[in-house]
Amino acid sequence: MEIDGEEARLQRKQATYIFLDEPFEIQKETYRGQQYSQIYFARLHLMRALLYSLVPNWKPHLPICTVLELEEGRECVIIGTLYKHMKLKPSILDEYSKERSTTPLVKPHNFMHPDDHLVLEDESGRVKLGGAELLPSAYVTGIVVALHGKETSAGEFLVLDVLDAGLAPQKELPLNSGEDKYVVLVSGLNVGSGTSNPLQFQLLVDHITGHLGDEKEQGIAAEIVHVVIAGNSIEIPRGLLNGQ
């Protein structure tokens, strides 16, 4: 009888734990691997179909291969996603080291380095890219391209020519004849600097949102369809980020 009573007590205790955990349970969410892997896969799938249709007019005499099918010295076309390997790319481990360090680490003025290189990746694998036709400084990670070239004895793919998909077709927006629309171009806000005037910035916001002026000026503001911040939007004072 004592054993049965103990089991019943444990079951009640377990049921209590389950009940208390329910409010914190994550519903309908599953971990699907790397954070952006699905986005890169979907982009490669769609852009590759477009590039396949362009290759026959670009390099009709060359076969299209995967990274796994490359052969040394044989010219071909490969299609995949570019990955930019950057030696100075920020790392979470470096950020942690800065927090634990008593002396500030030297920060580079940019993240470019002469040893940076590009890699092309598809479902079958990845290959390092070489040659002067594809400069790392001109590309970023995530671009889907078709490359004409050949594999070298060092295992790199020597790029001889590059084809990208270009811009997507632009949809024409309906515009009634005689109806004016405006685009606001603004630069030099320098938010955060010691010389910036918050009042001027607030006046700009109020004007764009139609909270200034008479009825005529508010009517003009109502026809603003885009606001483009063209540069120099923020300014970080020197010395603010030094040290811990």
Side-chain angles (χ1 to χ4, degrees):
M1 294 298 295
E2 293 181 359
I3 297 177
D4 293 341
E6 183 67 18
E7 289 181 355
R9 188 182 69 83
L10 291 175
Q11 289 177 358
R12 288 195 301 270
K13 187 177 181 181
Q14 185 179 13
T16 302
Y17 283 137
I18 295 175
F19 176 78
L20 294 176
D21 290 344
E22 283 180 353
F24 306 99
E25 186 177 355
I26 299 176
Q27 301 287 345
K28 299 180 180 179
E29 291 188 17
T30 57
Y31 178 71
R32 301 182 181 274
Q34 297 181 9
Q35 188 175 4
Y36 299 107
S37 60
Q38 287 188 319
I39 298 177
Y40 281 108
F41 176 79
R43 182 188 299 161
L44 176 60
H45 179 73
L46 293 174
M47 300 298 288
R48 180 170 51 192
L50 176 59
L51 288 169
Y52 264 110
S53 65
L54 299 177
V55 168
N57 295 328
W58 179 54
K59 303 288 181 180
H61 60 289
L62 293 176
I64 301 178
C65 303
T66 64
V67 172
L68 194 61
E69 295 171 340
L70 291 177
E71 298 179 7
E72 182 181 341
R74 183 175 69 122
E75 293 191 21
C76 64
V77 173
I78 55 176
I79 299 176
T81 304
L82 291 178
Y83 172 78
K84 186 173 181 177
H85 179 80
M86 304 180 67
K87 186 175 182 179
L88 300 180
K89 181 179 179 180
S91 169
I92 185 62
L93 296 178
D94 294 337
E95 295 297 326
Y96 178 76
S97 299
K98 293 174 186 176
E99 292 179 1
R100 304 293 295 180
S101 177
T102 57
T103 57
L105 300 178
V106 178
K107 288 188 177 181
H109 65 282
N110 61 54
F111 297 131
M112 298 295 295
H113 192 273
D115 294 338
D116 292 347
H117 63 270
L118 294 171
V119 173
L120 187 103
E121 185 178 70
D122 61 14
E123 293 92 343
S124 67
R126 53 168 43 193
V127 62
K128 183 179 178 181
L129 304 177
E133 196 67 32
L134 201 69
L135 298 177
S137 59
Y139 291 87
V140 296
T141 296
I143 299 178
V144 180
V145 293
L147 303 178
H148 163 215
K150 57 185 178 181
E151 187 179 22
T152 66
S153 58
E156 295 184 356
F157 187 80
L158 179 62
V159 179
L160 303 176
D161 202 356
V162 183
L163 173 68
D164 54 45
L167 295 176
Q170 301 296 306
K171 295 182 180 179
E172 293 187 6
L173 299 178
L175 183 64
N176 297 330
S177 59
E179 182 180 355
D180 293 330
K181 298 294 181 182
Y182 301 100
V183 175
V184 175
L185 298 173
V186 59
S187 65
L189 298 176
N190 294 326
V191 175
S193 70
T195 58
S196 65
N197 189 341
L199 177 60
Q200 293 178 344
F201 181 72
Q202 188 60 49
L203 288 174
L204 171 65
V205 175
D206 291 341
H207 172 66
I208 293 174
T209 55
H211 290 87
L212 284 182
D214 55 15
E215 184 177 350
K216 181 179 179 181
E217 290 184 1
Q218 292 177 359
I220 295 176
E223 303 302 329
I224 295 175
V225 294
H226 285 294
V227 177
V228 179
I229 300 178
N232 295 336
S233 57
I234 63 173
E235 180 177 331
I236 301 177
R238 287 187 176 181
L240 181 64
L241 300 180
N242 291 340
Q244 278 191 320

Coordinates of all heavy atoms in Angstrom, one line a residue, residues 52-98:
Y52 N 20.4 29.4 -66.4 CA 20.4 28.3 -67.4 C 19.8 28.8 -68.7 O 20.3 28.4 -69.8 CB 19.6 27.1 -66.8 CG 20.4 26.1 -66.1 CD1 20.4 25.9 -64.8 CD2 21.3 25.3 -66.9 CE1 21.1 24.9 -64.1 CE2 22.1 24.3 -66.2 CZ 22.0 24.1 -64.9 OH 22.7 23.2 -64.2
S53 N 18.8 29.6 -68.7 CA 18.2 30.0 -69.9 C 19.1 31.1 -70.7 O 18.9 31.3 -71.9 CB 16.8 30.7 -69.6 OG 16.9 31.8 -68.8
L54 N 20.0 31.7 -69.9 CA 20.8 32.7 -70.6 C 22.2 32.2 -71.1 O 22.7 32.8 -72.0 CB 21.1 33.9 -69.5 CG 19.9 34.6 -69.0 CD1 20.4 35.6 -68.0 CD2 19.2 35.3 -70.1
V55 N 22.6 31.1 -70.5 CA 23.9 30.5 -70.9 C 24.0 30.1 -72.4 O 25.0 30.4 -73.0 CB 24.3 29.3 -70.0 CG1 25.5 28.5 -70.5 CG2 24.6 29.8 -68.6
P56 N 23.0 29.5 -73.0 CA 23.1 29.2 -74.4 C 23.4 30.3 -75.4 O 24.0 30.1 -76.4 CB 21.7 28.6 -74.7 CG 21.2 28.0 -73.4 CD 21.7 29.0 -72.4
N57 N 22.9 31.5 -75.0 CA 23.3 32.7 -75.8 C 24.6 33.3 -75.4 O 25.2 34.1 -76.2 CB 22.1 33.7 -75.7 CG 20.8 33.3 -76.3 OD1 20.8 32.5 -77.3 ND2 19.7 33.7 -75.7
W58 N 25.1 33.0 -74.2 CA 26.3 33.6 -73.7 C 27.5 32.7 -74.1 O 28.5 33.2 -74.7 CB 26.2 33.7 -72.2 CG 27.4 34.3 -71.5 CD1 28.0 35.4 -71.8 CD2 28.1 33.6 -70.4 NE1 29.1 35.6 -70.9 CE2 29.1 34.5 -70.0 CE3 27.8 32.5 -69.6 CZ2 30.0 34.2 -69.0 CZ3 28.7 32.2 -68.6 CH2 29.8 33.1 -68.3
K59 N 27.5 31.4 -73.8 CA 28.5 30.5 -74.1 C 27.9 29.2 -74.6 O 27.9 28.1 -74.0 CB 29.4 30.2 -72.8 CG 30.0 31.4 -72.1 CD 31.1 32.0 -72.9 CE 31.7 33.2 -72.2 NZ 32.8 33.8 -72.9
P60 N 27.4 29.2 -75.9 CA 26.7 28.0 -76.4 C 27.6 26.8 -76.6 O 27.1 25.7 -76.7 CB 26.2 28.6 -77.8 CG 27.1 29.7 -78.2 CD 27.5 30.3 -76.9
H61 N 28.9 27.0 -76.7 CA 29.8 25.9 -77.0 C 30.3 25.2 -75.7 O 31.1 24.2 -75.8 CB 31.0 26.4 -77.8 CG 31.8 27.4 -77.1 ND1 31.3 28.7 -76.9 CD2 33.1 27.4 -76.5 CE1 32.3 29.4 -76.3 NE2 33.3 28.6 -76.0
L62 N 29.9 25.7 -74.5 CA 30.5 25.1 -73.3 C 29.4 24.4 -72.5 O 28.2 24.8 -72.5 CB 31.0 26.3 -72.4 CG 32.2 27.0 -72.9 CD1 32.6 28.2 -72.0 CD2 33.4 26.1 -73.1
P63 N 29.8 23.3 -71.9 CA 28.8 22.5 -71.0 C 28.7 23.2 -69.7 O 29.5 23.9 -69.2 CB 29.5 21.1 -70.9 CG 31.0 21.4 -71.0 CD 31.1 22.6 -71.9
I64 N 27.5 22.9 -69.0 CA 27.3 23.4 -67.7 C 27.5 22.3 -66.7 O 27.0 21.2 -66.8 CB 25.8 23.9 -67.5 CG1 25.6 25.1 -68.5 CG2 25.6 24.4 -66.1 CD1 24.1 25.6 -68.5
C65 N 28.4 22.5 -65.8 CA 28.8 21.5 -64.8 C 28.5 21.9 -63.4 O 28.3 23.1 -63.1 CB 30.3 21.2 -64.9 SG 30.9 20.7 -66.6
T66 N 28.5 21.0 -62.5 CA 28.4 21.3 -61.1 C 29.9 21.3 -60.5 O 30.8 21.0 -61.2 CB 27.6 20.2 -60.3 OG1 28.3 18.9 -60.4 CG2 26.2 20.1 -60.9
V67 N 30.0 21.8 -59.3 CA 31.4 21.8 -58.7 C 32.0 20.4 -58.7 O 33.2 20.3 -58.9 CB 31.3 22.5 -57.3 CG1 32.6 22.4 -56.6 CG2 30.9 23.9 -57.4
L68 N 31.2 19.4 -58.4 CA 31.7 18.1 -58.2 C 32.2 17.5 -59.6 O 33.0 16.6 -59.6 CB 30.6 17.2 -57.6 CG 31.1 15.8 -57.1 CD1 32.1 16.0 -56.0 CD2 29.9 15.0 -56.6
E69 N 31.6 18.0 -60.7 CA 32.0 17.5 -62.0 C 33.1 18.2 -62.7 O 33.5 17.9 -63.8 CB 30.7 17.6 -62.9 CG 29.6 16.8 -62.5 CD 28.3 17.1 -63.3 OE1 28.2 18.2 -63.9 OE2 27.4 16.2 -63.3
L70 N 33.8 19.1 -62.0 CA 34.9 19.9 -62.6 C 36.1 18.9 -62.9 O 36.4 18.0 -62.1 CB 35.4 21.0 -61.6 CG 34.4 22.2 -61.5 CD1 35.0 23.2 -60.4 CD2 34.1 22.9 -62.8
E71 N 36.7 19.2 -64.0 CA 37.9 18.4 -64.4 C 39.0 19.4 -64.7 O 38.8 20.5 -65.3 CB 37.7 17.5 -65.6 CG 36.6 16.5 -65.4 CD 36.4 15.6 -66.6 OE1 37.1 15.8 -67.6 OE2 35.4 14.8 -66.6
E72 N 40.3 19.1 -64.3 CA 41.4 20.0 -64.5 C 41.6 20.3 -66.0 O 41.7 19.4 -66.8 CB 42.7 19.4 -63.9 CG 43.9 20.3 -64.0 CD 45.1 19.6 -63.4 OE1 45.0 18.7 -62.6 OE2 46.2 20.1 -63.8
G73 N 41.7 21.6 -66.3 CA 42.0 22.0 -67.7 C 40.8 22.0 -68.6 O 40.9 22.6 -69.7
R74 N 39.6 21.5 -68.2 CA 38.5 21.5 -69.1 C 37.6 22.7 -68.9 O 37.1 23.0 -67.7 CB 37.6 20.3 -68.9 CG 36.4 20.1 -69.8 CD 35.7 18.8 -69.7 NE 35.0 18.8 -68.4 CZ 33.7 18.6 -68.2 NH1 32.9 18.4 -69.3 NH2 33.1 18.5 -67.0
E75 N 37.4 23.6 -69.9 CA 36.6 24.8 -69.8 C 35.1 24.4 -69.7 O 34.6 23.5 -70.4 CB 36.8 25.7 -71.0 CG 38.2 26.3 -71.0 CD 38.3 27.4 -72.0 OE1 37.3 28.0 -72.4 OE2 39.4 27.7 -72.5
C76 N 34.4 25.1 -68.8 CA 33.0 24.8 -68.7 C 32.3 26.0 -68.0 O 33.0 27.0 -67.7 CB 32.7 23.5 -67.8 SG 33.4 23.7 -66.1
V77 N 31.0 25.9 -67.7 CA 30.3 26.9 -67.0 C 29.7 26.3 -65.7 O 29.1 25.2 -65.8 CB 29.1 27.5 -67.9 CG1 28.3 28.4 -67.0 CG2 29.7 28.2 -69.1
I78 N 30.0 27.0 -64.6 CA 29.4 26.5 -63.3 C 28.5 27.7 -62.8 O 28.8 28.8 -63.0 CB 30.5 26.2 -62.3 CG1 31.4 27.3 -62.1 CG2 31.2 24.9 -62.7 CD1 32.4 27.0 -61.0
I79 N 27.4 27.2 -62.1 CA 26.4 28.2 -61.6 C 26.3 27.9 -60.1 O 26.1 26.8 -59.7 CB 25.1 28.1 -62.3 CG1 25.2 28.4 -63.8 CG2 24.1 29.0 -61.7 CD1 23.9 28.2 -64.6
G80 N 26.4 29.0 -59.3 CA 26.3 28.8 -57.9 C 26.2 30.1 -57.1 O 26.1 31.2 -57.7
T81 N 26.3 30.0 -55.8 CA 26.3 31.2 -54.9 C 27.7 31.6 -54.5 O 28.5 30.7 -54.1 CB 25.4 30.9 -53.7 OG1 24.1 30.5 -54.1 CG2 25.3 32.1 -52.8
L82 N 28.0 32.9 -54.6 CA 29.3 33.4 -54.2 C 29.3 33.5 -52.6 O 28.4 33.9 -52.0 CB 29.6 34.7 -54.8 CG 29.8 34.8 -56.3 CD1 30.1 36.2 -56.8 CD2 31.0 33.9 -56.7
Y83 N 30.4 33.1 -52.1 CA 30.7 33.3 -50.7 C 32.0 34.1 -50.6 O 33.1 33.7 -51.2 CB 30.8 32.0 -49.9 CG 31.3 32.2 -48.5 CD1 30.4 32.7 -47.5 CD2 32.6 31.9 -48.1 CE1 30.9 32.9 -46.2 CE2 33.1 32.1 -46.8 CZ 32.2 32.6 -45.9 OH 32.6 32.8 -44.6
K84 N 32.0 35.2 -49.9 CA 33.2 36.0 -49.8 C 33.9 35.7 -48.4 O 33.4 36.0 -47.4 CB 32.8 37.5 -49.8 CG 34.0 38.5 -49.9 CD 33.5 39.9 -50.1 CE 34.7 40.8 -50.2 NZ 34.2 42.2 -50.5
H85 N 35.1 35.1 -48.5 CA 35.9 34.8 -47.3 C 36.7 36.0 -47.0 O 37.6 36.5 -47.7 CB 36.8 33.6 -47.6 CG 37.7 33.3 -46.4 ND1 37.2 32.5 -45.4 CD2 39.0 33.6 -46.1 CE1 38.2 32.4 -44.5 NE2 39.3 33.0 -44.9
M86 N 36.4 36.6 -45.8 CA 37.0 37.8 -45.4 C 37.8 37.6 -44.1 O 37.3 37.1 -43.1 CB 35.9 38.9 -45.1 CG 35.0 39.2 -46.3 SD 33.8 40.4 -45.9 CE 34.8 41.9 -45.7
K87 N 39.1 37.9 -44.2 CA 40.0 37.7 -43.0 C 39.7 38.5 -41.9 O 39.8 38.1 -40.7 CB 41.4 37.9 -43.5 CG 42.5 37.5 -42.4 CD 43.9 37.7 -43.0 CE 44.9 37.3 -42.0 NZ 46.3 37.4 -42.5
L88 N 39.2 39.7 -42.1 CA 38.9 40.7 -41.0 C 37.4 40.7 -40.7 O 37.0 41.6 -40.0 CB 39.3 42.1 -41.5 CG 40.8 42.3 -41.8 CD1 41.1 43.7 -42.2 CD2 41.7 41.9 -40.6
K89 N 36.7 39.7 -41.1 CA 35.2 39.7 -40.8 C 35.0 39.6 -39.3 O 35.7 38.8 -38.6 CB 34.6 38.5 -41.4 CG 33.1 38.4 -41.2 CD 32.5 37.1 -41.9 CE 31.0 37.0 -41.6 NZ 30.5 35.8 -42.3
P90 N 34.1 40.4 -38.7 CA 34.0 40.4 -37.2 C 33.5 39.0 -36.7 O 32.8 38.3 -37.4 CB 32.8 41.4 -37.0 CG 32.9 42.3 -38.2 CD 33.3 41.4 -39.3
S91 N 34.0 38.6 -35.6 CA 33.7 37.3 -35.0 C 33.2 37.5 -33.6 O 33.6 38.4 -32.8 CB 35.0 36.4 -34.9 OG 34.7 35.3 -34.1
I92 N 32.2 36.7 -33.2 CA 31.6 36.8 -31.9 C 32.7 36.6 -30.8 O 32.6 37.1 -29.7 CB 30.4 35.9 -31.7 CG1 29.7 36.1 -30.4 CG2 30.8 34.5 -31.9 CD1 29.1 37.5 -30.2
L93 N 33.6 35.7 -31.1 CA 34.7 35.4 -30.1 C 35.6 36.6 -29.9 O 36.0 36.9 -28.8 CB 35.6 34.2 -30.6 CG 34.8 32.9 -30.8 CD1 35.8 31.8 -31.3 CD2 34.3 32.5 -29.4
D94 N 35.8 37.4 -31.0 CA 36.6 38.6 -30.9 C 35.8 39.7 -30.0 O 36.4 40.4 -29.2 CB 36.9 39.2 -32.2 CG 37.9 38.3 -33.0 OD1 38.6 37.5 -32.4 OD2 37.9 38.4 -34.3
E95 N 34.5 39.7 -30.2 CA 33.7 40.7 -29.5 C 33.8 40.3 -28.0 O 33.8 41.2 -27.1 CB 32.3 40.7 -30.0 CG 32.1 41.2 -31.4 CD 32.5 42.6 -31.5 OE1 32.3 43.4 -30.6 OE2 33.0 43.0 -32.6
Y96 N 33.7 39.0 -27.7 CA 33.8 38.6 -26.3 C 35.2 38.9 -25.7 O 35.3 39.3 -24.5 CB 33.6 37.1 -26.2 CG 33.7 36.5 -24.8 CD1 32.7 36.7 -23.9 CD2 34.8 35.8 -24.4 CE1 32.8 36.2 -22.6 CE2 34.9 35.3 -23.1 CZ 33.9 35.5 -22.2 OH 34.0 35.0 -21.0
S97 N 36.2 38.8 -26.5 CA 37.6 39.1 -26.0 C 37.7 40.6 -25.7 O 38.4 41.0 -24.7 CB 38.6 38.7 -27.1 OG 38.6 37.3 -27.3
K98 N 37.1 41.4 -26.5 CA 37.1 42.9 -26.3 C 36.4 43.2 -24.9 O 36.9 44.1 -24.2 CB 36.4 43.6 -27.4 CG 37.2 43.5 -28.7 CD 36.4 44.1 -29.9 CE 37.0 43.9 -31.2 NZ 36.2 44.4 -32.3

